[in-house]
């Protein structure tokens, strides 16, 4: 169970040493004892795991403290290379069962997508505000694969052209449903597909932004998973391949 995520700056804390349980300054602190990166152990260096997801789950457990039922955990997430994009996140952890305190950072829940091909490191602290020491865990590292099944790896700020048979656009348009007009004059993002579906040519081009294409393939994958419709997965494959994405994307949904 996680909730109430808040991005914050942790300037000045980045170089704190890991906690020393023998230090009396940590009395009453819930110290990190178990760390998992999307189900993998805590690793640094060239053996860091390569993950097939841009939305990893960072999990940690802490030493039980008598009378402590909630920890004020903080996860630091950093890009290892200069090009990487990462932020710090404050996130509460809750007690599960009688002895284990856990905290989890699920990037999919936040809608925070990491970059394909980039390496990251993360660590966590579980000390409550009343404890003056930092209590940071060691750093754990991971790399996002160059292509992942849950993301097309597109640039949200540019447009992409896709040319497919008009009959294929009709099938995609049927899955997406009618184009809606919103207050203020905006329309559904898949309107260009609906227009292409009405083309009198055998093939038609559709141009949309990276984020809109992500939305189209995500919607196709969602409907394919929810309805168990193999033909919808085939449509997602066609669009992804045309965008130089993974040949069989899942977008995070179960796929047979």
């Amino acid at each position: 169970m996680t909730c109430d995520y808040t991005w914050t700056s942790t300037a000045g804390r980045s170089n704190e040493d890991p906690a020393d349980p023998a230090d009396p300054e940590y009395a009453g602190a819930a110290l990190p004892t178990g760390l998992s990166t999307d189900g993998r152990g805590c690793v640094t260096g060239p053996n860091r795991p390569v993950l097939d997801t841009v939305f990893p789950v960072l999990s940690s457990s802490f030493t039980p403290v008598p009378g402590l039922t909630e920890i004020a955990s903080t996860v630091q997430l950093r890009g290892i290379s200069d090009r990487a994009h990462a932020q710090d996140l404050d996130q509460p952890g809750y007690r599960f069962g009688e002895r284990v305190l856990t905290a989890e950072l699920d990037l999919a829940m936040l809608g925070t997508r990491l970059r394909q091909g980039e390496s990251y490191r993360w660590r966590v602290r579980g000390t409550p505000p009343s404890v003056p020491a930092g209590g940071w865990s060691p750093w754990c590292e991971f790399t996002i694969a160059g292509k992942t099944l849950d993301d097309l790896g597109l640039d949200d700020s540019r447009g992409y052209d896709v040319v497919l048979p008009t009959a294929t656009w009709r099938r995609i348009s049927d899955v997406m449903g009618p184009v809606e007009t919103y207050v203020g004059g905006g329309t559904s993002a898949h309107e260009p597909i609906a227009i292409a579906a009405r083309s009198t040519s055998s093939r038609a081009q559709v141009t949309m932004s990276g984020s809109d294409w992500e939305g189209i393939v995500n919607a196709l994958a969602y409907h394919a998973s929810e309805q168990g419709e193999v033909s919808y997965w085939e449509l997602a494959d066609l669009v992804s391949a045309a965008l130089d994405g993974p040949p069989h994307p899942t977008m995070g949904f179960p796929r047979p």
Side-chain angles (χ1 to χ4, degrees):
M1 176 178 179
T2 55
C3 64
D4 296 330
Y5 297 96
T6 306
W7 291 109
T8 65
S9 172
T10 54
R13 300 205 307 250
S14 298
N15 297 320
E16 290 183 21
D17 294 328
D20 178 5
D23 188 336
E25 192 174 29
Y26 290 93
L31 301 180
T33 59
L35 304 169
S36 170
T37 304
D38 220 52
R40 316 287 184 90
C42 183
V43 179
T44 58
N47 292 324
R48 67 177 70 96
V50 178
L51 308 180
D52 182 26
T53 177
V54 294
F55 301 109
V57 177
L58 313 179
S59 303
S60 52
S61 59
F62 298 84
T63 55
V65 178
L68 184 64
T69 59
E70 181 176 323
I71 58 173
S73 63
T74 303
V75 176
Q76 282 189 341
L77 180 62
R78 294 279 194 270
I80 293 178
S81 73
D82 291 338
R83 295 189 301 114
H85 170 76
Q87 293 173 288
D88 294 343
L89 184 76
D90 280 359
Q91 172 233 295
Y94 291 89
R95 183 172 182 154
F96 294 87
E98 292 298 320
R99 294 181 54 81
V100 180
L101 292 166
T102 64
E104 186 174 90
L105 171 57
D106 187 337
L107 294 176
M109 287 181 61
L110 296 175
T112 299
R113 181 178 62 191
L114 300 185
R115 293 184 179 179
Q116 294 175 342
E118 295 286 1
S119 295
Y120 296 84
R121 62 177 183 165
W122 70 278
R123 64 178 182 173
V124 63
R125 71 191 295 264
T127 51
S130 59
V131 177
W136 290 104
S137 71
W139 288 104
C140 303
E141 298 179 356
F142 63 92
T143 297
I144 305 297
K147 285 190 177 182
T148 67
L149 297 181
D150 59 359
D151 186 70
L152 303 185
L154 303 178
D155 185 345
D156 293 346
S157 65
R158 56 159 289 195
Y160 294 83
D161 300 330
V162 172
V163 178
L164 291 174
T166 301
T168 300
W169 291 128
R170 292 194 193 103
R171 293 169 59 199
I172 295 174
S173 182
D174 288 342
V175 177
M176 299 303 298
V179 174
E180 298 183 13
T181 300
Y182 306 115
V183 176
T187 58
S188 303
H190 65 276
E191 182 181 25
I193 291 178
I195 294 173
R198 298 192 296 268
S199 173
T200 57
S201 301
S202 61
R203 298 176 66 82
Q205 175 178 298
V206 173
T207 302
M208 295 195 299
S209 68
S211 58
D212 284 344
W213 282 121
E214 290 276 356
I216 295 299
V217 178
N218 189 78
L220 291 171
Y222 168 77
H223 289 298
S225 179
E226 284 290 299
Q227 301 177 33
E229 184 55 67
V230 175
S231 65
Y232 294 174
W233 283 120
E234 294 172 349
L235 293 174
D237 293 347
L238 287 172
V239 177
S240 180
L243 292 162
D244 197 28
H248 302 293
T250 67
M251 307 309 284
F253 297 102
R255 177 167 183 162

